[in-house]
Short mmCIF file of all heavy atoms in Angstrom, two decimals:
data_model
loop_
_atom_site.label_atom_id
_atom_site.label_comp_id
_atom_site.label_asym_id
_atom_site.label_seq_id
_atom_site.Cartn_x
_atom_site.Cartn_y
_atom_site.Cartn_z
N ILE B 472 -4.98 -15.06 43.42
CA ILE B 472 -3.81 -15.77 43.94
C ILE B 472 -2.83 -14.66 44.30
O ILE B 472 -2.51 -13.82 43.47
CB ILE B 472 -3.17 -16.68 42.87
CG1 ILE B 472 -4.19 -17.67 42.35
CG2 ILE B 472 -1.93 -17.37 43.41
CD1 ILE B 472 -3.73 -18.38 41.08
N THR B 473 -2.38 -14.65 45.53
CA THR B 473 -1.55 -13.54 45.98
C THR B 473 -0.10 -13.97 46.08
O THR B 473 0.20 -15.06 46.57
CB THR B 473 -2.03 -13.04 47.35
OG1 THR B 473 -3.37 -12.56 47.17
CG2 THR B 473 -1.18 -11.90 47.87
N SER B 474 0.79 -13.12 45.57
CA SER B 474 2.19 -13.42 45.82
C SER B 474 2.89 -12.19 46.39
O SER B 474 2.60 -11.06 46.01
CB SER B 474 2.88 -13.95 44.57
OG SER B 474 2.89 -12.99 43.57
N LYS B 475 3.76 -12.46 47.36
CA LYS B 475 4.51 -11.38 47.99
C LYS B 475 5.74 -11.10 47.12
O LYS B 475 6.58 -11.96 46.94
CB LYS B 475 4.96 -11.80 49.38
CG LYS B 475 3.84 -11.87 50.39
CD LYS B 475 4.40 -11.61 51.79
CE LYS B 475 3.36 -11.46 52.87
NZ LYS B 475 1.96 -11.36 52.51
N VAL B 476 5.80 -9.91 46.58
CA VAL B 476 6.89 -9.58 45.67
C VAL B 476 8.08 -9.04 46.46
O VAL B 476 9.23 -9.37 46.19
CB VAL B 476 6.41 -8.53 44.64
CG1 VAL B 476 7.53 -8.14 43.69
CG2 VAL B 476 5.21 -9.06 43.86
N LYS B 477 7.78 -8.25 47.44
CA LYS B 477 8.83 -7.62 48.22
C LYS B 477 8.29 -7.41 49.63
O LYS B 477 7.16 -6.94 49.79
CB LYS B 477 9.17 -6.27 47.59
CG LYS B 477 10.59 -5.82 47.82
CD LYS B 477 10.93 -4.67 46.90
CE LYS B 477 12.44 -4.60 46.71
NZ LYS B 477 12.83 -3.59 45.74
N THR B 478 9.07 -7.74 50.63
CA THR B 478 8.61 -7.54 52.00
C THR B 478 9.64 -6.70 52.75
O THR B 478 10.81 -7.06 52.81
CB THR B 478 8.43 -8.89 52.72
OG1 THR B 478 7.65 -9.73 51.86
CG2 THR B 478 7.71 -8.74 54.03
N ALA B 479 9.19 -5.60 53.29
CA ALA B 479 10.10 -4.72 54.03
C ALA B 479 10.52 -5.39 55.32
O ALA B 479 9.74 -6.11 55.95
CB ALA B 479 9.41 -3.40 54.32
N SER B 480 11.76 -5.15 55.74
CA SER B 480 12.22 -5.76 57.00
C SER B 480 11.61 -5.04 58.20
O SER B 480 11.36 -5.63 59.23
CB SER B 480 13.74 -5.75 57.07
OG SER B 480 14.21 -4.46 56.77
N ILE B 481 11.37 -3.75 58.02
CA ILE B 481 10.70 -3.03 59.10
C ILE B 481 9.22 -2.98 58.80
O ILE B 481 8.80 -2.56 57.71
CB ILE B 481 11.26 -1.59 59.23
CG1 ILE B 481 12.77 -1.66 59.52
CG2 ILE B 481 10.51 -0.81 60.32
CD1 ILE B 481 13.44 -0.32 59.52
N VAL B 482 8.43 -3.43 59.74
CA VAL B 482 6.99 -3.53 59.53
C VAL B 482 6.38 -2.14 59.29
O VAL B 482 6.77 -1.16 59.93
CB VAL B 482 6.32 -4.19 60.75
CG1 VAL B 482 4.83 -4.40 60.53
CG2 VAL B 482 7.00 -5.53 61.03
N PHE B 483 5.47 -2.09 58.34
CA PHE B 483 4.78 -0.84 58.02
C PHE B 483 4.04 -0.36 59.27
O PHE B 483 3.18 -1.07 59.80
CB PHE B 483 3.80 -1.08 56.88
CG PHE B 483 3.31 0.16 56.20
CD1 PHE B 483 3.96 0.65 55.08
CD2 PHE B 483 2.20 0.85 56.68
CE1 PHE B 483 3.51 1.79 54.44
CE2 PHE B 483 1.75 1.99 56.05
CZ PHE B 483 2.40 2.48 54.92
N PRO B 484 4.35 0.83 59.78
CA PRO B 484 3.69 1.30 61.01
C PRO B 484 2.25 1.72 60.73
O PRO B 484 2.00 2.82 60.27
CB PRO B 484 4.55 2.48 61.44
CG PRO B 484 5.31 2.90 60.24
CD PRO B 484 5.32 1.79 59.26
N GLU B 485 1.34 0.79 60.99
CA GLU B 485 -0.06 0.99 60.60
C GLU B 485 -0.68 2.24 61.23
O GLU B 485 -1.58 2.84 60.68
CB GLU B 485 -0.90 -0.23 60.96
CG GLU B 485 -0.43 -1.55 60.33
CD GLU B 485 -0.59 -1.59 58.81
OE1 GLU B 485 -1.34 -0.77 58.26
OE2 GLU B 485 0.05 -2.46 58.17
N GLU B 486 -0.18 2.60 62.41
CA GLU B 486 -0.83 3.70 63.13
C GLU B 486 -0.39 5.07 62.61
O GLU B 486 -1.02 6.08 62.88
CB GLU B 486 -0.56 3.58 64.64
CG GLU B 486 0.89 3.75 65.11
CD GLU B 486 1.90 2.73 64.56
OE1 GLU B 486 1.48 1.61 64.20
OE2 GLU B 486 3.09 3.06 64.47
#
Side-chain angles (χ1 to χ4, degrees):
Chain B
I472 302 167
T473 298
S474 63
K475 288 208 172 350
V476 179
K477 208 166 203 175
T478 311
S480 50
I481 301 174
V482 183
F483 196 93
E485 302 293 343
E486 66 298 335

